[in-house]
Amino acid sequence: VVVFMKGSPAQPLCGFSNAVVQILRLHGVEDYRAHDVLQDPDLRQGIKNYSNWPTIPQVYLNGEFVGGCDILLQMHQNGDLVEELKKLGIRSALLDAEKDKEKK
Amino acid sequence: PQTSPLSCSPSPMRGPLLAAAGGAMGGAGGPLARTIRAKLTAALQPTHLEVRDDSPRHGGPPGAETHFGVLVVSGLFAGLPLLQRHRLVHEALRAELAGPLHALQVIARTPEQWQSDPRAPPAPPCLGGSKRDKRRG
């Protein structure tokens, strides 16, 4: 999981970047590479050229560009994110949350 | 589950995207809003289209027109994954995104999806963004 964002996961500097951080956190994904484009204008433009995507944040799973915060939010809501994380060998924390619910 | 935006009886012109803006948008919007609307209409032939200027929520002065949200419902999205749908929207607004349009929230649905779920999430709140970038020149 790699994220290009404004600010850092500890301190996002943009509401859209923060949304990505929060969604990943919900799934228990906190150990990922995050690049702060505000630290490097060349990176900021370069990553937009690379993915042919005009805005930040940008989320990459297994080296493949997945989308920005809107797409990540929709993937989270429709269950696709859990599946994509599974493909990477990451077990979403939400699956455990569901199991806990069922136990009660 | 996401919370629906406040909307008791939406008028035909104001769907959930605009309702969530809380009346911050007045009239048809500024020139960029009209351009966005025209380009998306031409490119995607939407059955439903909402264009929301979020710039006031990001610290811009009135009329800044830098941050927008669009809700596009179009049959052209059928069979396309989200990434491709968003790329179509970006393609239509390529010139604007290279220029004044700084951020764009996109919700892209087919008419069938829109019918079964006519709600739109609000944009995330601003957290300062580039205004905190000391190196910005």
Side-chain angles (χ1 to χ4, degrees):
Chain A
V1 179
V2 176
V3 175
F4 293 83
M5 60 182 292
K6 294 182 178 178
S8 66
Q11 191 181 27
L13 292 181
C14 151
F16 304 108
S17 291
N18 182 49
V20 166
V21 169
Q22 297 305 324
I23 290 169
L24 291 174
R25 184 166 291 153
L26 280 176
H27 289 262
V29 181
E30 305 226 34
D31 186 21
Y32 54 90
R33 298 225 48 187
H35 300 275
D36 181 358
V37 303
L38 294 181
Q39 299 293 327
D40 184 349
D42 291 333
L43 175 66
R44 186 172 177 177
Q45 189 53 49
I47 197 62
K48 291 179 186 178
N49 295 342
Y50 173 77
S51 58
N52 194 21
W53 186 265
T55 52
I56 303 293
Q58 297 190 5
V59 181
Y60 291 76
L61 296 180
N62 208 24
E64 197 183 311
F65 177 58
V66 164
C69 103
D70 296 329
I71 291 182
L72 200 72
L73 179 62
Q74 289 176 73
M75 288 174 66
H76 163 67
Q77 288 170 335
N78 67 17
D80 283 351
L81 186 54
V82 172
E83 289 308 311
E84 290 301 315
L85 290 174
K86 201 190 260 185
K87 290 183 194 169
L88 298 180
I90 300 174
R91 181 180 167 79
S92 168
L94 292 183
L95 290 172
D96 296 322
E98 283 297 316
K99 280 183 85 175
D100 287 340
K101 265 194 214 166
E102 282 165 23
K103 277 186 198 161
K104 286 177 187 160
Chain B
Q2 56 183 349
T3 50
S4 345
L6 287 172
S7 180
C8 302
S9 50
S11 71
M13 291 296 288
R14 289 171 62 85
L17 203 80
L18 292 174
M25 266 203 69
L32 183 51
R34 287 195 290 274
T35 301
I36 290 174
R37 173 166 283 275
K39 289 200 174 181
L40 290 180
T41 301
L44 300 172
Q45 291 135 50
T47 56
H48 184 80
L49 172 65
E50 291 176 38
V51 177
R52 185 190 67 208
D53 184 355
D54 286 329
S55 314
R57 300 181 65 220
H58 290 267
E65 295 206 299
T66 52
H67 295 60
F68 277 85
V70 296
L71 190 160
V72 188
V73 180
S74 167
L76 295 180
F77 292 142
L80 294 183
L82 286 179
L83 198 62
Q84 298 314 317
R85 298 184 187 190
H86 287 216
R87 286 200 189 282
L88 282 179
V89 174
H90 292 169
E91 199 48 48
L93 300 176
R94 181 172 274 269
E96 289 69 30
L97 284 163
L101 189 52
H102 182 82
L104 184 65
Q105 184 194 9
V106 175
I107 298 167
R109 304 234 177 103
T110 61
E112 294 73 27
Q113 287 174 323
W114 178 242
Q115 269 212 305
S116 60
D117 184 13
R119 293 173 307 164
C126 180
L127 291 180
S130 301
K131 291 190 284 296
R132 297 210 206 168
D133 179 15
K134 296 186 178 66
R135 291 177 57 187
R136 197 165 151 234

